[in-house]
Amino acid sequence: MTRRKSRTAAPVPVGSPGQTTAPGIPDSLSVGDQVAAAANAAAATAGGGTAALRALADGPQRIIPAQFTGTDAERLAQLEDALDGAATRAGRAIDLMKGWLDEQRGTVLREIHAHDLYKVKAKSFEQYVWDRWKLKRARAYQLMDAAPVLALMSAIADTPPVVSTATALVPVLKTHGADAVRGVLEQAHATAKDTGTKLTTAAIKRAVRDSGLAATPAAVDPATVEQARREEAGRKLTAAADTAERALALYEEALAADIAPADIIRAAVDLSRLTKVGRVLGKQTRVPGTPPTA
């Protein structure tokens, strides 16, 4: 059975193409530490959103009413403008913190997944991320893939990094390296500034295409295609097993509670669904693609 572990075990390509880690970061560091170190190094040289977070940590500038002078109408207008500005900065700070937190989530989850640390508390990674963090499997993998891009985005620009936008740049990072990601971001930001528009996922995708970094069809290697299909089959089987384990654990928890469900009719239907799945799985005696057992 193919394991998903290999997806995050390799070093994250945060440097230039062909370089596994950022300059000055030892290859011996764990995956999570490599991402964090690269993000910190980028932030130290580029500023951007991360610099804004540091400024917020030092304490926001407070409004001092006595500093506003003039007529009553002028003072009122000045105070209202100051409060509007404070609200804008607070909203931006919240957005920046959300992006920063998603980066931290992805970085930590990469480390936990790469070294099977989740097994301390759960049988599967899917069960762990749900029980501990209330994250679905797809969201956990999205955060892990996006983490290094979010780090670059927060270090380069003041625009709050968003997971959906970062996801559009993951292929660029994996194929062309961090310098290419920086180039796309700078181009997208310049275009957004010139046109007075916001930096959106669609704008990022356009910048990727304009930069000539969009994926192009390569010569089809039958062996590669077959291996990819086999790996996908393994991932599906593993996901099915993870889901089945979680379903069984939840059912056992329900039995252990020994409390009748509020909706008995719905409970009967749910039990029928579980029983049906159990009957179907009970008939399976071989791994897909292997000869039937004698």
Side-chain angles (χ1 to χ4, degrees), residues 4 121-137 238-254 274 277 281:
R4 296 193 304 272
K121 291 187 174 181
K123 293 182 179 179
S124 67
F125 183 68
E126 180 187 56
Q127 180 183 346
Y128 168 76
V129 294
W130 178 255
D131 290 347
R132 182 61 179 83
W133 306 108
K134 292 299 179 285
L135 291 172
K136 293 185 177 180
R137 174 180 176 274
T238 299
D242 289 345
T243 302
E245 283 185 348
R246 174 155 179 77
L248 180 59
L250 289 173
Y251 180 61
E252 290 176 343
E253 288 178 10
L274 287 171
V277 172
L281 292 177

Short mmCIF file of all heavy atoms in Angstrom, two decimals, residues 4 121-137 238-254 274 277 281:
data_model
loop_
_atom_site.label_atom_id
_atom_site.label_comp_id
_atom_site.label_asym_id
_atom_site.label_seq_id
_atom_site.Cartn_x
_atom_site.Cartn_y
_atom_site.Cartn_z
N ARG A 4 1.26 8.10 2.06
CA ARG A 4 1.30 9.52 1.70
C ARG A 4 2.51 10.23 2.28
O ARG A 4 2.79 11.35 1.99
CB ARG A 4 0.02 10.23 2.17
CG ARG A 4 -1.22 9.73 1.50
CD ARG A 4 -2.37 10.68 1.78
NE ARG A 4 -2.59 10.88 3.19
CZ ARG A 4 -3.37 10.10 3.94
NH1 ARG A 4 -3.98 9.06 3.40
NH2 ARG A 4 -3.55 10.35 5.22
N LYS A 121 -0.76 10.05 18.84
CA LYS A 121 -2.13 10.28 19.30
C LYS A 121 -3.20 9.64 18.44
O LYS A 121 -4.36 9.56 18.87
CB LYS A 121 -2.41 11.79 19.36
CG LYS A 121 -1.65 12.53 20.44
CD LYS A 121 -2.12 13.98 20.54
CE LYS A 121 -1.48 14.70 21.71
NZ LYS A 121 -1.96 16.10 21.83
N ALA A 122 -2.87 9.21 17.23
CA ALA A 122 -3.90 8.67 16.35
C ALA A 122 -3.33 7.59 15.43
O ALA A 122 -2.12 7.50 15.25
CB ALA A 122 -4.51 9.80 15.51
N LYS A 123 -4.23 6.80 14.87
CA LYS A 123 -3.81 5.72 13.97
C LYS A 123 -3.50 6.25 12.57
O LYS A 123 -2.76 5.62 11.83
CB LYS A 123 -4.91 4.66 13.89
CG LYS A 123 -5.13 3.90 15.19
CD LYS A 123 -6.22 2.84 15.01
CE LYS A 123 -6.44 2.05 16.29
NZ LYS A 123 -7.50 1.03 16.13
N SER A 124 -4.11 7.36 12.21
CA SER A 124 -3.90 7.91 10.87
C SER A 124 -3.74 9.42 10.95
O SER A 124 -4.18 10.06 11.92
CB SER A 124 -5.08 7.57 9.96
OG SER A 124 -6.26 8.23 10.39
N PHE A 125 -3.13 9.98 9.91
CA PHE A 125 -2.96 11.43 9.85
C PHE A 125 -4.31 12.11 9.73
O PHE A 125 -4.54 13.16 10.34
CB PHE A 125 -2.08 11.79 8.64
CG PHE A 125 -1.78 13.25 8.54
CD1 PHE A 125 -0.97 13.88 9.48
CD2 PHE A 125 -2.30 14.01 7.50
CE1 PHE A 125 -0.69 15.24 9.40
CE2 PHE A 125 -2.02 15.37 7.40
CZ PHE A 125 -1.21 15.98 8.35
N GLU A 126 -5.23 11.53 8.95
CA GLU A 126 -6.55 12.11 8.81
C GLU A 126 -7.27 12.20 10.15
O GLU A 126 -7.87 13.23 10.48
CB GLU A 126 -7.39 11.26 7.85
CG GLU A 126 -8.80 11.81 7.65
CD GLU A 126 -9.65 10.87 6.83
OE1 GLU A 126 -9.78 9.70 7.22
OE2 GLU A 126 -10.19 11.30 5.80
N GLN A 127 -7.18 11.14 10.93
CA GLN A 127 -7.83 11.14 12.24
C GLN A 127 -7.17 12.17 13.16
O GLN A 127 -7.86 12.88 13.90
CB GLN A 127 -7.73 9.75 12.88
CG GLN A 127 -8.37 9.67 14.26
CD GLN A 127 -8.21 8.31 14.90
OE1 GLN A 127 -7.85 7.35 14.24
NE2 GLN A 127 -8.45 8.24 16.20
N TYR A 128 -5.85 12.26 13.10
CA TYR A 128 -5.14 13.21 13.96
C TYR A 128 -5.53 14.64 13.68
O TYR A 128 -5.86 15.39 14.60
CB TYR A 128 -3.62 13.05 13.79
CG TYR A 128 -2.85 14.18 14.43
CD1 TYR A 128 -2.68 14.24 15.80
CD2 TYR A 128 -2.33 15.21 13.65
CE1 TYR A 128 -2.02 15.30 16.40
CE2 TYR A 128 -1.66 16.28 14.23
CZ TYR A 128 -1.50 16.32 15.61
OH TYR A 128 -0.85 17.38 16.20
N VAL A 129 -5.49 15.07 12.39
CA VAL A 129 -5.77 16.48 12.09
C VAL A 129 -7.21 16.84 12.42
O VAL A 129 -7.51 17.99 12.75
CB VAL A 129 -5.44 16.82 10.61
CG1 VAL A 129 -3.96 16.69 10.36
CG2 VAL A 129 -6.23 15.96 9.65
N TRP A 130 -8.11 15.86 12.34
CA TRP A 130 -9.49 16.16 12.69
C TRP A 130 -9.68 16.23 14.21
O TRP A 130 -10.27 17.17 14.73
CB TRP A 130 -10.45 15.14 12.10
CG TRP A 130 -11.87 15.41 12.49
CD1 TRP A 130 -12.63 14.74 13.41
CD2 TRP A 130 -12.69 16.48 12.01
NE1 TRP A 130 -13.87 15.32 13.52
CE2 TRP A 130 -13.94 16.38 12.67
CE3 TRP A 130 -12.50 17.49 11.07
CZ2 TRP A 130 -14.99 17.28 12.43
CZ3 TRP A 130 -13.54 18.38 10.84
CH2 TRP A 130 -14.77 18.27 11.52
N ASP A 131 -9.15 15.21 14.91
CA ASP A 131 -9.33 15.16 16.36
C ASP A 131 -8.63 16.33 17.06
O ASP A 131 -9.17 16.92 18.00
CB ASP A 131 -8.79 13.84 16.92
CG ASP A 131 -9.65 12.65 16.52
OD1 ASP A 131 -10.78 12.88 16.04
OD2 ASP A 131 -9.21 11.51 16.69
N ARG A 132 -7.43 16.65 16.62
CA ARG A 132 -6.63 17.66 17.31
C ARG A 132 -6.89 19.08 16.81
O ARG A 132 -6.91 20.03 17.59
CB ARG A 132 -5.13 17.35 17.16
CG ARG A 132 -4.21 18.31 17.90
CD ARG A 132 -4.48 18.27 19.40
NE ARG A 132 -3.59 19.16 20.13
CZ ARG A 132 -3.79 20.48 20.27
NH1 ARG A 132 -4.86 21.04 19.71
NH2 ARG A 132 -2.94 21.21 20.97
N TRP A 133 -7.11 19.23 15.49
CA TRP A 133 -7.20 20.58 14.92
C TRP A 133 -8.51 20.85 14.21
O TRP A 133 -8.71 21.96 13.71
CB TRP A 133 -6.05 20.80 13.93
CG TRP A 133 -4.71 20.53 14.51
CD1 TRP A 133 -3.90 19.47 14.24
CD2 TRP A 133 -4.02 21.31 15.50
NE1 TRP A 133 -2.75 19.54 14.98
CE2 TRP A 133 -2.79 20.66 15.77
CE3 TRP A 133 -4.32 22.48 16.19
CZ2 TRP A 133 -1.87 21.14 16.69
CZ3 TRP A 133 -3.41 22.97 17.10
CH2 TRP A 133 -2.19 22.31 17.34
N LYS A 134 -9.40 19.84 14.13
CA LYS A 134 -10.67 19.98 13.43
C LYS A 134 -10.46 20.40 11.97
O LYS A 134 -11.19 21.22 11.41
CB LYS A 134 -11.58 20.98 14.14
CG LYS A 134 -12.05 20.49 15.50
CD LYS A 134 -12.87 19.21 15.37
CE LYS A 134 -13.35 18.67 16.72
NZ LYS A 134 -12.28 18.01 17.48
N LEU A 135 -9.46 19.80 11.34
CA LEU A 135 -9.17 20.04 9.93
C LEU A 135 -9.47 18.78 9.12
O LEU A 135 -9.13 17.68 9.55
CB LEU A 135 -7.69 20.40 9.72
CG LEU A 135 -7.20 21.75 10.25
CD1 LEU A 135 -5.69 21.82 10.12
CD2 LEU A 135 -7.86 22.90 9.49
N LYS A 136 -10.11 18.95 7.98
CA LYS A 136 -10.31 17.81 7.10
C LYS A 136 -9.00 17.51 6.37
O LYS A 136 -8.12 18.37 6.24
CB LYS A 136 -11.43 18.10 6.10
CG LYS A 136 -12.81 18.21 6.75
CD LYS A 136 -13.89 18.38 5.71
CE LYS A 136 -15.26 18.43 6.37
NZ LYS A 136 -16.35 18.59 5.38
N ARG A 137 -8.88 16.28 5.88
CA ARG A 137 -7.64 15.83 5.25
C ARG A 137 -7.24 16.76 4.10
O ARG A 137 -6.06 17.16 3.99
CB ARG A 137 -7.82 14.40 4.74
CG ARG A 137 -6.65 13.87 3.92
CD ARG A 137 -6.93 12.44 3.46
NE ARG A 137 -5.88 11.95 2.60
CZ ARG A 137 -5.82 12.16 1.29
NH1 ARG A 137 -6.76 12.88 0.70
NH2 ARG A 137 -4.82 11.68 0.58
N THR A 238 -5.50 4.07 0.86
CA THR A 238 -5.11 4.56 2.19
C THR A 238 -6.16 5.50 2.76
O THR A 238 -6.52 5.43 3.93
CB THR A 238 -3.75 5.29 2.12
OG1 THR A 238 -2.76 4.37 1.66
CG2 THR A 238 -3.34 5.82 3.49
N ALA A 239 -6.68 6.40 1.90
CA ALA A 239 -7.72 7.33 2.35
C ALA A 239 -8.97 6.57 2.78
O ALA A 239 -9.61 6.92 3.78
CB ALA A 239 -8.05 8.32 1.23
N ALA A 240 -9.31 5.52 2.01
CA ALA A 240 -10.48 4.72 2.37
C ALA A 240 -10.28 4.03 3.71
O ALA A 240 -11.18 3.98 4.55
CB ALA A 240 -10.75 3.68 1.27
N ALA A 241 -9.07 3.50 3.93
CA ALA A 241 -8.79 2.84 5.20
C ALA A 241 -8.82 3.82 6.36
O ALA A 241 -9.34 3.52 7.44
CB ALA A 241 -7.42 2.15 5.12
N ASP A 242 -8.26 5.00 6.13
CA ASP A 242 -8.28 6.03 7.18
C ASP A 242 -9.71 6.40 7.55
O ASP A 242 -10.06 6.52 8.73
CB ASP A 242 -7.55 7.29 6.70
CG ASP A 242 -6.04 7.09 6.61
OD1 ASP A 242 -5.55 6.10 7.17
OD2 ASP A 242 -5.38 7.93 5.98
N THR A 243 -10.56 6.57 6.52
CA THR A 243 -11.95 6.94 6.76
C THR A 243 -12.69 5.82 7.49
O THR A 243 -13.49 6.08 8.41
CB THR A 243 -12.66 7.24 5.43
OG1 THR A 243 -11.96 8.30 4.76
CG2 THR A 243 -14.10 7.66 5.65
N ALA A 244 -12.41 4.57 7.08
CA ALA A 244 -13.06 3.43 7.73
C ALA A 244 -12.66 3.34 9.21
O ALA A 244 -13.50 3.07 10.08
CB ALA A 244 -12.70 2.14 7.01
N GLU A 245 -11.38 3.57 9.49
CA GLU A 245 -10.92 3.53 10.88
C GLU A 245 -11.61 4.60 11.71
O GLU A 245 -12.01 4.36 12.85
CB GLU A 245 -9.40 3.73 10.93
CG GLU A 245 -8.60 2.49 10.56
CD GLU A 245 -7.12 2.71 10.75
OE1 GLU A 245 -6.70 3.87 10.95
OE2 GLU A 245 -6.36 1.73 10.71
N ARG A 246 -11.74 5.80 11.13
CA ARG A 246 -12.38 6.88 11.87
C ARG A 246 -13.86 6.58 12.09
O ARG A 246 -14.41 6.85 13.16
CB ARG A 246 -12.20 8.20 11.12
CG ARG A 246 -12.98 9.33 11.77
CD ARG A 246 -12.41 10.68 11.47
NE ARG A 246 -13.22 11.71 12.11
CZ ARG A 246 -13.18 12.01 13.39
NH1 ARG A 246 -12.36 11.35 14.19
NH2 ARG A 246 -13.95 12.95 13.91
N ALA A 247 -14.52 6.02 11.06
CA ALA A 247 -15.93 5.68 11.20
C ALA A 247 -16.12 4.65 12.32
O ALA A 247 -17.06 4.77 13.13
CB ALA A 247 -16.47 5.13 9.87
N LEU A 248 -15.24 3.66 12.36
CA LEU A 248 -15.36 2.64 13.40
C LEU A 248 -15.13 3.24 14.78
O LEU A 248 -15.86 2.92 15.74
CB LEU A 248 -14.34 1.52 13.14
CG LEU A 248 -14.33 0.38 14.16
CD1 LEU A 248 -15.69 -0.30 14.22
CD2 LEU A 248 -13.24 -0.64 13.81
N ALA A 249 -14.14 4.13 14.88
CA ALA A 249 -13.86 4.77 16.17
C ALA A 249 -15.04 5.60 16.65
O ALA A 249 -15.42 5.56 17.83
CB ALA A 249 -12.61 5.64 16.06
N LEU A 250 -15.67 6.34 15.73
CA LEU A 250 -16.82 7.15 16.11
C LEU A 250 -18.01 6.28 16.53
O LEU A 250 -18.73 6.60 17.48
CB LEU A 250 -17.24 8.05 14.94
CG LEU A 250 -16.28 9.20 14.60
CD1 LEU A 250 -16.71 9.90 13.32
CD2 LEU A 250 -16.21 10.19 15.75
N TYR A 251 -18.20 5.17 15.82
CA TYR A 251 -19.30 4.27 16.16
C TYR A 251 -19.08 3.67 17.55
O TYR A 251 -20.01 3.57 18.36
CB TYR A 251 -19.41 3.17 15.11
CG TYR A 251 -20.53 2.18 15.38
CD1 TYR A 251 -21.85 2.61 15.43
CD2 TYR A 251 -20.26 0.84 15.59
CE1 TYR A 251 -22.88 1.71 15.69
CE2 TYR A 251 -21.28 -0.07 15.85
CZ TYR A 251 -22.59 0.38 15.89
OH TYR A 251 -23.60 -0.50 16.15
N GLU A 252 -17.82 3.29 17.82
CA GLU A 252 -17.52 2.73 19.14
C GLU A 252 -17.72 3.78 20.24
O GLU A 252 -18.17 3.46 21.34
CB GLU A 252 -16.09 2.20 19.16
CG GLU A 252 -15.91 0.95 18.31
CD GLU A 252 -14.46 0.48 18.26
OE1 GLU A 252 -13.56 1.29 18.61
OE2 GLU A 252 -14.22 -0.68 17.89
N GLU A 253 -17.40 5.04 19.95
CA GLU A 253 -17.64 6.11 20.92
C GLU A 253 -19.13 6.27 21.18
O GLU A 253 -19.56 6.48 22.32
CB GLU A 253 -17.06 7.42 20.39
CG GLU A 253 -15.54 7.48 20.40
CD GLU A 253 -15.03 8.80 19.82
OE1 GLU A 253 -15.86 9.71 19.60
OE2 GLU A 253 -13.81 8.91 19.59
N ALA A 254 -19.94 6.17 20.12
CA ALA A 254 -21.38 6.29 20.27
C ALA A 254 -21.93 5.15 21.13
O ALA A 254 -22.81 5.36 21.99
CB ALA A 254 -22.06 6.30 18.90
N LEU A 274 -23.97 2.13 7.70
CA LEU A 274 -22.73 1.54 8.19
C LEU A 274 -22.69 0.04 7.96
O LEU A 274 -21.65 -0.53 7.58
CB LEU A 274 -22.58 1.84 9.69
CG LEU A 274 -22.23 3.28 10.08
CD1 LEU A 274 -22.35 3.46 11.58
CD2 LEU A 274 -20.81 3.62 9.62
N VAL A 277 -21.89 -0.74 4.34
CA VAL A 277 -20.46 -0.58 4.06
C VAL A 277 -19.69 -1.76 4.61
O VAL A 277 -18.78 -2.30 3.96
CB VAL A 277 -19.94 0.74 4.67
CG1 VAL A 277 -18.42 0.81 4.56
CG2 VAL A 277 -20.56 1.93 3.97
N LEU A 281 -17.30 -4.24 2.40
CA LEU A 281 -15.88 -4.39 2.72
C LEU A 281 -15.56 -5.82 3.14
O LEU A 281 -14.46 -6.32 2.88
CB LEU A 281 -15.49 -3.42 3.83
CG LEU A 281 -15.49 -1.92 3.46
CD1 LEU A 281 -15.15 -1.08 4.67
CD2 LEU A 281 -14.51 -1.65 2.33
#
